[in-house]
Amino acid sequence: MEKGNETFVSGFILQGLFNQAGHEGLIFSLLLFMYLLSLLGNLLIVLLIHCDAHLRHTPMYFFLSYLSLADVGLASSIVPITLCNLVSRDKILSYGGCLSQTYFLLAFGNSDNFLLTAMAYDRYLAICRPLHYAALMNIKSCLLMVSGCWLLAFLQSLMYTLMLSRLSFCASREIRHFFCDVNPLLRLSCSDTTPIEMVVMTEGMLDILGPCTLIVVSYGHIFLTVMKTPSSSGKLKAFSTCGSHLTVVILFYGTILCVYLLPASENKTLPSLMYTVVTPMLNPFIYSLRNNEMKGALRRLIGQMRMSHNNWK
């Protein structure tokens, strides 16, 4: 339907991953494998933590369980639609589907963002304020922090989605990306995008750089505190408790800063794939392979399952 020089379209055409002509089967198989691995790993972490009373009541693992849920949501908002487009001829995503994907992408991505900051604060209190840690990081405080992270993330996502829903789009429907996001949609719009671009430049940058700065400050204090520890074993133990989280932080912010701070002309397929698919897949391995408590919880769960199986015989 046309009105003046504008065309109101019912959907968008997603460009896809890389130059996929002739390689759809290989890309489909790799992407499906990574997605299933991400689901299995993250849901296993959630199961282990919520089935183990000790882990469930430890703030670091409490936050980790919700970070894993956010990773499941982040990957699930992107990968299933991308897989469908790989086997589809028209590769069209409806207007409502595009806005929904943008909403959940931003919501779960921001949940990751805020939860990683909460986890850095938890490590800061554990190492720099050990005498006050138990009082400050009780279960009520953890619940409030997690609730605040999720609520703020979903409200911010709603704000962006509502602003995008008020835009009109031109005749060109091709999104030069493999999923719907704010910036690709702004480039297709015939409307005045100045207000939302201002929001992206101000609130959006604060949304990324603010938590990132808080994490850097937290680890700066942690580093200074650990360096004052006289024993080498104490330093090693302190750094080992932060190693997994710091690795995830570097992966997450390294890729997300490339996606949202690189010039629009740059090809962002690879960093976007890292941010939405690869990082959620790697997180469970980073936390479980480096963590004896997670390994112990897995062994106990397997033991309980074997006992239950033997009792049924």
Side-chain angles (χ1 to χ4, degrees), residues 38-78:
S38 177
L39 289 183
L40 178 63
N42 283 292
L43 292 177
L44 180 59
I45 282 183
V46 174
L47 178 65
L48 290 176
I49 292 172
H50 285 274
C51 288
D52 190 292
H54 170 67
L55 296 183
R56 190 170 63 248
H57 292 96
T58 302
M60 181 176 67
Y61 296 108
F62 181 81
F63 289 129
L64 175 59
S65 66
Y66 286 95
L67 181 72
S68 295
L69 284 176
D71 281 339
V72 169
L74 179 62
S76 297
S77 67
I78 301 298

Side-chain angles (χ1 to χ4, degrees), residues 40 81 115 138 168 193 195 230 291 294:
L40 178 63
I81 292 175
L115 286 167
N138 53 54
S168 299
T193 59
N291 195 298
M294 291 295 295

Side-chain angles (χ1 to χ4, degrees), residues 183-221:
N183 290 327
L185 288 174
L186 290 179
R187 288 194 287 272
L188 288 183
S189 177
C190 297
S191 305
D192 179 14
T193 59
T194 303
I196 191 170
E197 286 178 353
M198 290 297 295
V199 172
V200 171
M201 288 298 297
T202 54
E203 194 276 341
M205 289 301 100
L206 286 174
D207 186 33
I208 297 173
L209 296 180
C212 187
T213 302
L214 290 175
I215 292 173
V216 171
V217 170
S218 297
Y219 273 103
H221 283 288

Side-chain angles (χ1 to χ4, degrees), residues 243-313:
S244 298
H245 177 257
L246 193 56
T247 304
V248 172
V249 165
I250 292 170
L251 277 173
F252 180 80
Y253 285 102
T255 53
I256 203 172
L257 289 174
C258 289
V259 172
Y260 292 105
L261 294 186
L262 282 177
S265 58
E266 295 286 340
N267 189 326
K268 301 181 182 181
T269 300
L270 186 57
S272 295
L273 190 65
M274 288 289 296
Y275 151 55
T276 58
V277 182
V278 179
T279 301
M281 179 192 70
L282 292 178
N283 286 354
F285 296 97
I286 293 170
Y287 277 104
S288 61
L289 293 179
R290 293 171 56 92
N291 195 298
N292 290 327
E293 289 184 302
M294 291 295 295
K295 293 176 185 177
L298 179 59
R299 286 192 293 268
R300 288 191 292 273
L301 180 63
I302 293 173
Q304 291 172 5
M305 292 173 65
R306 285 176 177 173
M307 289 179 62
S308 299
H309 178 70
N310 291 334
N311 291 336
W312 276 98
K313 287 184 177 180

